[in-house]
Amino acid sequence: MAIIEVEGLWKIFGGNPERARTLAKEGKSKAEVKAETDSVIAVNDANFGVREQEIFVVMGLSGSGKSTLLRCVNRLIEPTFGAVKVHGEEVTAFDEDRLRELRRTKMSMVFQNFGLFPHRTVMGNVEYGLEVAGMDRGQRREKAQQSLELVGLDGYGDSQTSELSGGMQQRVGLARALVNDPEILLMDEAFSALDPLIRADMQNELLELQEQWDPACTILFITHDLDEALKMGDRIAIMKDGGIAQIGTPTEILTEPADEYVRSFVENVDRTKIVPARTVMRDLRDDETVPADGPSVSPHTPIAELLPTLLDADGPLAVRDSDGPLRGVVSQEAVMKEVVENADGARRREARAGRTEEEPETAVA
Amino acid sequence: MRLDLGDAFAALIEWLENNFEPLLDAITIAIGATIEGLEQALLFLPSWVMILLFTLLAWWVASRGVAAFSLIGFTLLENVEFTLFGLDVAFGMGLWELTMQTLALIVTSTLLSLLIGIPIGIWAAKNDVVDTVTRPILDFMQTMPAFVYLIPAVVLFSLGEVPGVIATFIFATPPCVRLTNLGIRQVSEEAVEAAQSFGSTPRQLLFKVELPMALPTILAGINQTVLLALSMVVIAALIGAGGLGEPVVEGIQQLRIGIGFEGGLAIVILAIFLDRVTQAIGEKAGTTTQAATG
C-alpha cells in the first residue's frame, strides 16, 4: 500500500498560477508559459505513490523541479495545486499544529549541504528534533546516542560539527533525521556533496541500514546522478521540466525507456555495473541447494562484480543479506542474459554513432 | 501657500509635549533612575578596585595586551599620589567620577538601543515590508547631524542626562537594527529548513537556530552602537548630560587647551577599552558559530 501519495501536484512560482496551469495543460512549454504569464512552473502535475518500506528515487537534472517536489511533500514549500497524502491523510490540508506533529514524529529530512547547526555540538544537532518536541533531556540524550551509534559516530557527541569531514557531517545529518524513528525519510541530494568514495560508502551503509531496520523506513530519495538512482532505487521516477517522464524499477527504466529523453539518459549506462544482484535474483527451487558456508553476495552487488564468484560457484550463487539470511539465488543463465542485453545495447549505440559520423560523406557522394 | 517643514516639525514636537506628558514623564523617571543607579553602582567601590575589575574583565574576554592597556589607561584617569623614597609623586587626570558618569550614560543608552533595536531588527529580517520601511528611517537617524537631536530632546525631556540618553539612543541604534536584520537574513537557508523540517515552532526557530547563528553579526552591531554612543558624549554634554564631555566643552568655551585635551584623551581610553572588549566577545561567539557555516 502506498504510504505517500502525490496527486496532481503543481508548484508554480509568481505570475498567474491558474492561467499558467491551463496553458501548461494545453501543451505549452515552460518557456512559453513563462513568457505569457510570468509564472515559473517548478512542478508540473506530479502523480505517484511511494510504497511502504521502499526506496523511491526521484531523478532529474538541476532545474527539473525534483527538490521543489520533495519540499512539497513535507510542505517546506507550499504546493500551488494538488494534494500530498500520508497514510491516506491529506498533509496539504493540515494546519500548522498537525503539520508540526507530522514533522516531529513521522517524517524527517536529510539535506544536500547537511544543514547542520554550527552553534551546537554533534549531540546538540542530533537531539534537536526531540528537543523541539519537548522530550526531557535524559531521554533525548539516550535516543541521540543510539542514533549516533547507528551511523557509526559513537564517541563524537561532544565534537563541534566543524571539526568533522564532509562524510561525517552527513552522518550527523542522517543521525539527526533518524533520531525520532521516522516512518519516512526525505533525502535531498543527500550524498551529492561527498567525495565519490565516501558517497559509495554512504550509499551502501544506507542500503544496509534500511534492511536492518524493522520496520524499515520508507525513503524518498532525490538525486541528479543516474548511477546513484539505479543503485539505490526500488523504483525510480525520472523528472523533466517539472513533470515526471517515467516511473519504474531500475530494470524497467533501463530496458523500456518511456521516451527519447529517458532513452538518452540511460543509453550510455553499462548496465552490468549498475543492475544489482537482486534484480536478476530468483527464489531457490526445491531441487536446488546452496551450501550454508559457500560463496555468497549481497543483494546490492552489481552483476559485473559478482561474475568471478559466480564462475567459481557450482550452480546458482547464494544472495544473502549482510546478517546471513538467504534472499535468493542468481543463476548463470540470468546473468548471461543480462550481459548479452547490455552488449546488444552497446552495439546498437555504436551503430547509431557510426551512422551519424558517416552522414556527411554520404552527402558529398 | 507655503509649506514650512521646520515649522511642521516644531508643531509636531509641541503636540507631543502637550499630549503625552505622562508618558514622557514616565520615560524620564525610568531612564533617570537607571542611569542614577548605574552611576552609584560604578562609584560604589573604590576606584582601584574598579580598575582591577576592568583589567580582569579585559584579560578574561580579550587578551593580556588589552588588560595591560586597561590597567594603565584607567589608572591615568584617576588621581594617583604616593611617596617613593621620600619623594611625593602625583599623576593622573582626576577624571574618574566623570568617566563613570559617561560609562553609566553609555550603558543606559546602549541597553535602550538593544531593547528596541534588536526586536525591530528581527521584525525587519522576517518581513520585507518592515525592512523597506525601516531602511530610510535608519539612514535618516544616522545621517542627521547629531546636534539636531538635542533641541527636541531638551523640549521633551528638559536638561540633564535623560535627554542626553535619548539623543544618544536615536543616533546609536541604527547599526544594532541593521546588523540584527543582516545576521538573521544570513543564516543559511538549509539550517532554517532543517529546523522547520524537524517541527520547530517559529519561536523555537528564532531562539534555537536563527539568533544563535546570527549572534556574531549582532554583536558586531552592538560594538558599533557602543562606539557611536561614545561619540555622542561631548555633544550630550552641551545639554548638561555631564560626564567626560564636560571638560571638553569647558575647554572649548574657555580656550583651555589642557582641560580639553585631558577630556578627549579620557574618551579615547574608554573607547578603546569598550571597543576591544565588545569585539572580543563577538569573536568568541564567532569561533563557535561561524567556523562551520562555510
Side-chain angles (χ1 to χ4, degrees), chain A residues 11 56 108 113 119-121 143 150 152 158-159 167 178 213 226 237 244 264-265 295 311 315 331 357:
Chain A
K11 180 63 200 183
F56 188 93
S108 59
N113 297 306
H119 58 290
R120 289 171 158 249
T121 61
K143 293 214 68 172
L150 200 63
D158 294 328
S159 304
L178 296 179
W213 282 323
L226 182 66
I244 292 179
S264 69
F265 249 121
L311 281 177
S331 67
E357 269 167 32

Side-chain angles (χ1 to χ4, degrees), chain B residues 42-56 70-71 74-75 78-80 96 100:
Chain B
L42 289 168
L43 289 169
F44 177 72
L45 291 169
S47 59
W48 64 270
V49 177
M50 292 304 290
I51 292 173
L52 274 181
L53 286 178
F54 288 137
T55 305
L56 286 175
S70 309
L71 183 63
F74 280 111
T75 309
E78 178 55 300
N79 251 333
V80 186
W96 184 258
M100 290 306 107

